[in-house]
Amino acid sequence: MPVSLDNLLVVGISSRALFDLEAEETIFRTQGLDVYRQHQIENENEILKLGAGFALVRALLKLNVLVHNQRFVEVVIMSRNSSETSMRIFNSIKHYDLDITRAVLSGGAPLSPYLRAFNVSLFLSLHEDDVQAAINSGVASALLYQKPDNAFEELEQIRIAFDGDAVIFSDESERIFQTQGIEAFENHERENAMKPLPEGPFARLLKALSYIQNNFKSSDGRSAPIRTALVTARSSPAHERVIRTLRAWNVAIDETFFMGGVAKSDVLAAFKPHIFFDDQPGHCDRAAPLVQTGLVPVMRIS
């Protein structure tokens, strides 16, 4: 029987997001594929430094050792490298003792067609084109900023923070705010308070995390290995629809911050997430020096 990834949280991550390959990226862009290929082969036994997505991946993989003989997370390396230039990546995975056995090495071809084949729940990359194609295909995806100085601080819990509109929820309400202003937005949310918000690109990921949390739920609620936060620019009266939507999804967010336009960066610094997802470049730019940040692009329907 073939192995099924259907009931796992599958994270697809580019090799450049898992490891620091910025020098190699510069070689490829300035000197071409042949020089890049030779460089990787000559240095395949030199262990790569940690990249922007490493801390999150390492933390998520620890979930697989919490319950005997049960896996919750699978990580798939998804790279435009070819097999001949990938040995350095695999050697580095082995060096850091990461439980990663699956890979897509597309040899320069786009990666998005393979996301569904591996049932990817979250795709992380530093390549804008791959992230945009992934989000267009309906997969939760983010363009990672470079890691902040504290990116590899060990935390007792996996901590993930989300923006609301256009991330967990659809951008339907966000578009009203952008085109008609705050008053129209608040009126719309007040009038539709009992109607759940449509799902956004990260709703499936949030539900998968909630499912995993439920496997570790204790009476005091403190031993869960994952802690989630919603950090949204919304405030009253637009809070009610958010609360009712999460209730309708049967999803419990551990911490919720209705910021009402106040900058999110200080709250994020206090929460200390492994990663924060937001669709607004301004919010991401302010958060990125403090916490690992991923920009969620707007879906483009061709």
Side-chain angles (χ1 to χ4, degrees), residues 86-275:
S86 65
M87 278 302 299
R88 191 178 182 191
I89 298 167
F90 287 111
N91 288 340
S92 297
I93 289 171
K94 181 178 180 181
H95 171 81
Y96 292 112
D97 196 26
L98 298 177
D99 181 17
I100 300 175
T101 60
R102 293 178 172 83
V104 174
L105 306 171
S106 70
L111 295 169
S112 59
Y114 305 106
L115 296 172
R116 295 292 185 186
F118 283 85
N119 196 40
V120 170
S121 308
L122 173 65
F123 176 65
L124 302 173
S125 177
L126 275 72
H127 287 283
E128 187 173 356
D129 290 348
D130 283 335
V131 172
Q132 186 67 63
I135 207 81
N136 291 348
S137 68
V139 176
S141 309
L143 181 69
L144 294 188
Y145 281 60
Q146 291 296 342
K147 60 185 182 293
D149 292 339
N150 63 349
F152 307 117
E153 179 182 347
E154 287 288 345
L155 301 173
E156 294 182 2
Q157 292 176 313
I158 301 164
R159 290 177 167 243
I160 302 177
F162 301 88
D163 179 35
D165 293 294
V167 178
I168 294 177
F169 315 118
S170 81
D171 65 348
E172 172 190 281
S173 298
E174 176 74 15
R175 282 186 275 112
I176 293 174
F177 171 73
Q178 295 293 341
T179 58
Q180 301 178 46
I182 183 65
E183 186 175 348
F185 166 77
E186 289 183 349
N187 287 337
H188 178 267
E189 294 307 284
R190 189 184 292 110
E191 292 167 2
N192 291 276
M194 304 300 293
K195 180 181 178 182
L197 285 154
E199 292 186 1
F202 278 65
R204 179 186 171 207
L205 173 63
L206 179 63
K207 291 178 181 180
L209 292 172
S210 181
Y211 172 81
I212 294 173
Q213 284 178 302
N214 287 335
N215 279 270
F216 298 97
K217 186 174 291 186
S218 62
S219 57
D220 61 10
R222 295 179 180 177
S223 64
I226 301 173
R227 193 163 185 84
T228 54
L230 171 63
V231 187
T232 173
R234 285 176 177 247
S235 60
S236 177
H239 68 291
E240 182 177 354
R241 196 175 183 195
V242 168
I243 294 170
R244 292 189 182 279
T245 297
L246 294 172
R247 188 182 297 168
W249 292 355
N250 196 30
V251 168
I253 293 278
D254 295 298
E255 301 187 30
T256 305
F257 304 92
F258 293 106
M259 303 299 297
V262 175
K264 301 177 180 181
S265 51
D266 287 345
V267 162
L268 291 167
F271 181 66
K272 295 184 177 180
H274 283 88
I275 195 164

Side-chain angles (χ1 to χ4, degrees), residues 67-86:
V67 178
H68 177 67
N69 206 31
Q70 183 174 359
R71 294 182 69 83
F72 295 97
V73 176
E74 196 71 33
V75 175
V76 181
I77 290 291
M78 308 196 76
S79 171
R80 292 198 181 199
N81 276 276
S82 63
S83 57
E84 65 176 340
T85 61
S86 65

